[in-house]
């Protein structure tokens, strides 16, 4: 018999943490993963779905496990943003897929780049987007084509394995690893070890949510370690030894948090083990009950750094790690590697800016041809939706720059071309509310005409929904897509505005001013207005984000 007193002493509700005994699925996503590991969908795609077509796909695979191989159904054309949160998934689904190819460390050979270009033209209607996590994304992919796409990718060492899903996704790395004249150390080997040990391993293929990683020795901190689930940032300790500072628990979306320094010094040969410990903690102690609290940042925030370090060392590593130093501040507020710069070996690298990350199969072929013609065999992708050609001899740099700019790949771009980023948006994404790529591209054109002399660093990040794939909270001007009402009382596409977000020296999330929104049509007018106020009021050396913190609200509207 239950007494009133006993009702007040029930066992507290668990968060779905496996290590504490909560193994029963607590939501539909966890149930699907318990029913079958996402990695097992590959064989069904090859043997069944690619042969029998889209209608043969099990719904649990279609909207769940296929993400383990980089496949999401794309948005059915013609569905406006007002329907995004209203329609059922099957009403939003098109019969085509977005396919994401993971490019760990952003490293590509010309052979790989040409295969990526061929797949775009053969199967993706020419689409190929550079993401802000160094990947390539295609659209219009039919299920029948997937086995051949995989065969082409895997023949040159590329893969879509765990490019999406509740898995360890692509590992970010500096595109200049091994060649930067100022790098602390070359992280290429550590990225390879972590990839080979953990990617595709069923022991780590059922995480509470996605898991984002960065491993870098870059002095510009180009892999934005502050907002990754786990990051290894190169440092030099008091004994002159090179290693890594460990950061855990960064992430944006609807509840942004910066990663926290665990305070340990990790030798290069320890990175794989320490990574395994961190991802093991996430797997075992991560929250699985509520999907929106299933990222590692919530666990780190609740536990605190001291407890996290203790559990990592005692339960997973079985050894203590020494204390270590914090990273040096980034050498440049622009962390994108655009432009012409020297390498260690006397050659140069050439970084260039496609328009908001949008390229296509033909352009990828042209990039490969230009690189080869100018003596390079290596290209790289960046976390800013840019690309870099390595190993260009000094006497070939000018020719390469001219050739790139002739096909609208700017090596010396305006601030607006260089630092405007956009997510996929409503064109293909089922979560989006507004269009992003074309809006951002138009914004660039308008600002270049209206403010041709503006040269200060200024990031403008355009996102189609609240999920922050384009990192709106850490942008100077972050634009979150939503429907707004225009002067005629009509509901139209627009944006909530975040101002003054930043990483690096003074990290902070963007300031939200009450009621500050704009329609998509009025966006160029708004940005021109606020940037003009900044130019008129800024002090010597003052950044846009610093100005925003002291500016009057009237000057931000």
């Amino acid at each position: 018999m239950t007494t009133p007193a006993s009702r007040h002493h029930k066992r507290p509700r668990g968060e779905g943490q496996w290590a504490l005994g909560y193994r029963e699925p607590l939501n539909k996503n966890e149930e699907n993963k318990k029913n079958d590991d996402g990695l097992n969908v590959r064989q069904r795609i090859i043997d069944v779905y690619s042969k029998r077509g889209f209608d043969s796909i099990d719904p649990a695979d279609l909207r769940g496990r296929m993400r383990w191989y980089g496949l999401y159904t794309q948005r059915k054309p013609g569905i406006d943003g007002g329907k995004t949160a209203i329609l059922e998934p099957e009403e939003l689904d098109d019969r085509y897929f977005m396919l994401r190819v993971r490019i760990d460390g952003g490293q590509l050979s010309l052979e790989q780049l040409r295969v990526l270009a061929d797949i775009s033209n053969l199967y993706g209607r020419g689409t190929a987007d550079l993401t802000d996590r160094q990947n390539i994304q295609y659209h219009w992919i039919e299920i029948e084509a997937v086995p051949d796409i995989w065969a082409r990718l895997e023949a040159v060492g590329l893969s879509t394995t765990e490019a999406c899903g509740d898995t360890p996704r692509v590992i970010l790395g500096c595109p200049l690893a091994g060649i930067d004249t100022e790098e602390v150390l070359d992280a290429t080997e550590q990225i390879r070890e972590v990839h080979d040990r953990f990617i595709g391993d069923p022991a780590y293929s059922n995480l509470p949510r996605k898991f984002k990683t960065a491993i870098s020795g870059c002095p510009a901190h180009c892999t934005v370690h502050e907002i990754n689930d786990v990051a290894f940032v190169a440092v030099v300790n008091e004994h002159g030894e090179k290693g890594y500072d460990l950061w855990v628990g960064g992430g944006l979306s609807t509840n942004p948090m910066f990663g926290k320094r665990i305070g340990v010094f990790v030798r290069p040969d320890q990175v794989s083990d320490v990574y395994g410990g961190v991802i093991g903690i996430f797997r075992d102690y991560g929250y699985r009950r509520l999907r929106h609290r299933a990222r590692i940042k919530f666990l780190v925030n609740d536990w605190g750094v001291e407890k996290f370090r203790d559990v990592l060392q005692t339960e997973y590593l079985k050894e203590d790690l020494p204390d270590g130093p914090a990273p040096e501040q980034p050498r440049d507020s622009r962390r994108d590697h655009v432009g012409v710069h020297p390498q260690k070996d006397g050659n140069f690298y050439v970084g260039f800016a496609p328009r908001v990350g949008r390229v296509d199969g033909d352009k990828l072929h042209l990039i490969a041809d230009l690189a080869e013609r100018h003596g390079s065999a290596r290209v790289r992708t960046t976390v800013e939706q840019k690309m870099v050609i390595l190993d260009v001899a000094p006497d070939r740099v000018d020719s390469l720059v001219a050739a790139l700019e002739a096909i609208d790949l700017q090596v010396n771009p305006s601030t607006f071309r260089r630092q405007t980023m956009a997510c996929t948006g409503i064109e293909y994404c089922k979560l989006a509310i507004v269009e992003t790529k074309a809006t951002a591209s138009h914004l660039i054109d308008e600002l270049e005409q209206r403010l041709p002399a503006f040269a200060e660093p200024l990031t403008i990040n355009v996102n189609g929904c609240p999920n922050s794939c384009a990192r709106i909270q850490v942008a100077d001007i972050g634009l979150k897509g939503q429907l707004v009402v225009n002067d005629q009382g009509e509901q139209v596409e627009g944006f909530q505005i975040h101002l003054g977000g930043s990483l690096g020296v003074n990290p902070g999330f963007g300031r939200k001013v009450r009621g500050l929104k704009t329609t998509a049509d009025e966006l160029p007018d708004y940005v021109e207005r606020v940037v003009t106020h900044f130019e008129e009021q800024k002090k010597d050396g003052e950044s846009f984000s610093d100005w925003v913190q002291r500016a009057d609200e009237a000057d931000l509207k």
Side-chain angles (χ1 to χ4, degrees):
M1 177 178 176
T2 302
T3 66
S6 67
R7 282 199 296 268
H8 293 293
H9 293 86
K10 288 183 178 179
R11 183 185 183 192
R13 173 184 272 182
E15 291 278 7
Q17 296 163 282
W18 285 359
L20 300 184
Y22 296 99
R23 301 290 301 202
E24 285 306 308
L26 296 162
N27 57 55
K28 189 67 175 177
N29 299 86
E30 289 300 312
E31 182 181 340
N32 285 343
K33 290 185 288 183
K34 184 176 183 180
N35 289 342
D36 190 29
D37 192 297
L39 293 175
N40 295 335
V41 78
R42 175 186 171 99
Q43 210 56 44
R44 289 193 290 277
I45 292 172
I46 294 170
D47 295 339
V48 181
Y49 304 147
S50 67
K51 293 180 169 61
R52 298 182 187 174
F54 185 89
D55 291 332
S56 69
I57 304 173
D58 183 305
D61 286 344
L62 181 66
R63 300 181 192 95
R65 301 182 194 99
M66 291 176 79
R67 297 175 185 179
W68 270 242
Y69 287 93
L71 287 157
Y72 283 90
T73 49
Q74 67 187 42
R75 188 187 192 94
K76 192 178 295 182
I79 300 176
D80 65 58
K83 303 284 181 57
T84 297
I86 298 172
L87 297 179
E88 294 298 320
E90 57 269 20
E91 297 176 284
L92 287 167
D93 285 335
D94 202 354
R95 298 172 67 86
Y96 300 93
F97 293 87
M98 179 274 283
L99 178 62
R100 181 180 298 157
V101 182
R102 60 183 301 151
I103 304 172
D104 293 273
Q107 301 192 8
L108 289 169
S109 67
L110 298 191
E111 181 186 26
Q112 290 172 326
L113 184 58
R114 287 181 169 121
V115 167
L116 291 169
D118 287 340
I119 292 170
S120 169
N121 287 336
L122 286 169
Y123 297 120
R125 301 188 186 180
T127 58
D129 287 343
L130 300 168
T131 78
D132 62 358
R133 294 196 65 81
Q134 298 183 290
N135 297 310
I136 288 278
Q137 286 183 180
Y138 301 115
H139 301 285
W140 301 109
I141 300 298
E142 296 178 295
I143 193 64
E144 291 85 352
V146 171
D148 186 57
I149 292 172
W150 283 342
R152 290 170 181 267
L153 290 171
E154 290 160 13
V156 293
L158 293 173
S159 170
T160 70
T161 302
E162 296 181 335
C164 310
D166 297 351
T167 65
R169 299 190 183 184
V170 69
I171 305 163
L172 300 186
C174 177
L176 311 183
I179 69 162
D180 191 330
T181 57
E182 298 177 34
E183 76 176 352
V184 180
L185 55 77
D186 178 358
T188 301
E189 186 58 34
Q190 285 77 61
I191 292 173
R192 184 180 298 116
E193 288 173 356
V194 169
H195 175 278
D196 292 350
R197 180 171 166 183
F198 296 99
I199 304 308
D201 182 349
Y204 301 95
S205 62
N206 180 357
L207 303 177
R209 283 290 298 273
K210 57 191 170 186
F211 190 73
K212 297 182 176 182
T213 303
I215 307 174
S216 176
C218 175
H221 297 176
C222 69
T223 57
V224 291
H225 61 273
E226 303 97 323
I227 52 173
N228 279 270
D229 293 284
V230 64
F232 294 83
V233 188
V235 292
V236 181
N237 70 12
E238 59 185 353
H239 305 296
E241 298 172 304
K242 295 180 179 181
Y244 295 94
D245 189 41
L246 176 65
W247 292 57
V248 179
L252 296 179
S253 192
T254 54
N255 198 331
M257 299 182 195
F258 288 121
K260 297 176 173 61
R261 290 189 60 235
I262 304 303
V264 296
F265 180 79
V266 183
R267 299 191 315 268
D269 63 290
Q270 295 175 307
V271 167
S272 181
D273 286 341
V274 173
Y275 177 90
V278 174
I279 198 172
I281 290 174
F282 182 42
R283 176 194 61 198
D284 301 337
Y285 287 97
Y287 303 152
R288 294 174 182 264
R289 181 170 68 87
L290 298 175
R291 190 80 176 155
H292 68 271
R293 272 179 53 82
R295 296 290 295 275
I296 197 173
K297 64 187 178 183
F298 294 100
L299 180 68
V300 175
N301 193 57
D302 290 348
W303 274 10
V305 167
E306 187 175 327
K307 179 176 179 179
F308 192 95
R309 178 174 178 174
D310 181 63
V311 172
L312 173 65
Q313 293 178 151
T314 58
E315 294 188 28
Y316 291 83
L317 299 179
K318 310 298 184 186
E319 65 172 329
D320 289 344
L321 297 169
D323 294 343
E328 299 287 337
Q329 292 295 343
R331 68 181 179 194
D332 189 348
S333 62
R334 289 184 169 118
R335 298 157 75 168
D336 58 10
H337 302 309
V338 170
V340 178
H341 303 278
Q343 300 180 178
K344 290 178 181 178
D345 61 4
N347 289 319
F348 288 80
Y349 68 85
V350 178
F352 54 91
R355 191 176 284 268
V356 292
R358 179 139 285 179
V359 288
D360 55 47
D362 290 344
K363 190 153 284 187
L364 292 178
H365 268 302
L366 283 172
I367 293 167
D369 292 345
L370 288 176
E372 186 172 52
R373 197 178 308 153
H374 290 83
S376 172
R378 301 187 294 171
V379 297
R380 298 289 184 261
T381 56
T382 82
V383 303
E384 303 292 335
Q385 301 179 333
K386 309 297 188 291
M387 293 187 75
V388 182
I389 295 175
L390 308 184
D391 309 324
V392 183
D395 61 348
R396 297 186 176 187
V397 169
D398 290 345
S399 171
L400 176 58
V401 170
L404 287 167
E405 299 206 337
I407 56 173
D408 196 31
L409 297 173
Q410 300 296 317
V411 178
N412 300 291
S414 70
T415 286
F416 306 116
R417 174 67 170 264
R418 179 172 181 171
Q419 293 192 280
T420 299
M421 179 190 299
C423 74
T424 299
I426 202 170
E427 183 178 10
Y428 300 116
C429 178
K430 293 180 297 181
L431 300 177
I433 301 167
V434 303
E435 206 288 321
T436 54
K437 292 285 190 183
T439 298
S441 185
H442 174 67
L443 177 64
I444 292 168
D445 290 339
E446 287 291 317
L447 294 175
E448 286 179 342
Q449 291 178 14
R450 300 181 189 196
L451 301 167
F454 183 80
E456 298 287 330
L458 184 81
T459 53
I460 304 175
N461 294 11
V462 186
N463 217 78
C465 78
N467 288 324
S468 200
C469 294
R471 311 200 298 256
I472 52 173
Q473 295 100 329
V474 293
D476 288 310
I477 301 176
L479 302 167
K480 182 175 76 174
Q482 60 181 222
L483 298 180
V484 301
V485 177
N486 66 13
D487 292 340
Q488 289 73 48
E490 303 164 321
Q491 196 174 58
V492 297
E493 291 191 355
F495 300 92
Q496 181 191 60
I497 299 167
H498 299 238
L499 292 172
S502 61
L503 298 171
V505 178
N506 296 305
F509 298 124
R511 175 180 175 184
K512 287 185 281 189
V513 177
R514 183 180 296 276
L516 184 53
K517 301 176 183 178
T518 180
T519 67
D521 288 343
E522 294 171 335
L523 180 59
D525 293 339
Y526 169 75
V527 176
E528 178 187 18
R529 187 164 61 247
V530 75
V531 169
T532 299
H533 290 157
F534 164 61
E535 285 197 290
E536 292 169 348
Q537 299 176 16
K538 69 181 176 70
K539 301 174 182 176
D540 287 346
E542 187 174 35
S543 70
F544 182 87
S545 63
D546 288 340
W547 169 75
V548 165
Q549 303 314 313
R550 67 174 181 83
D552 292 336
E553 285 197 3
D555 292 322
L556 302 177
K557 294 183 176 179

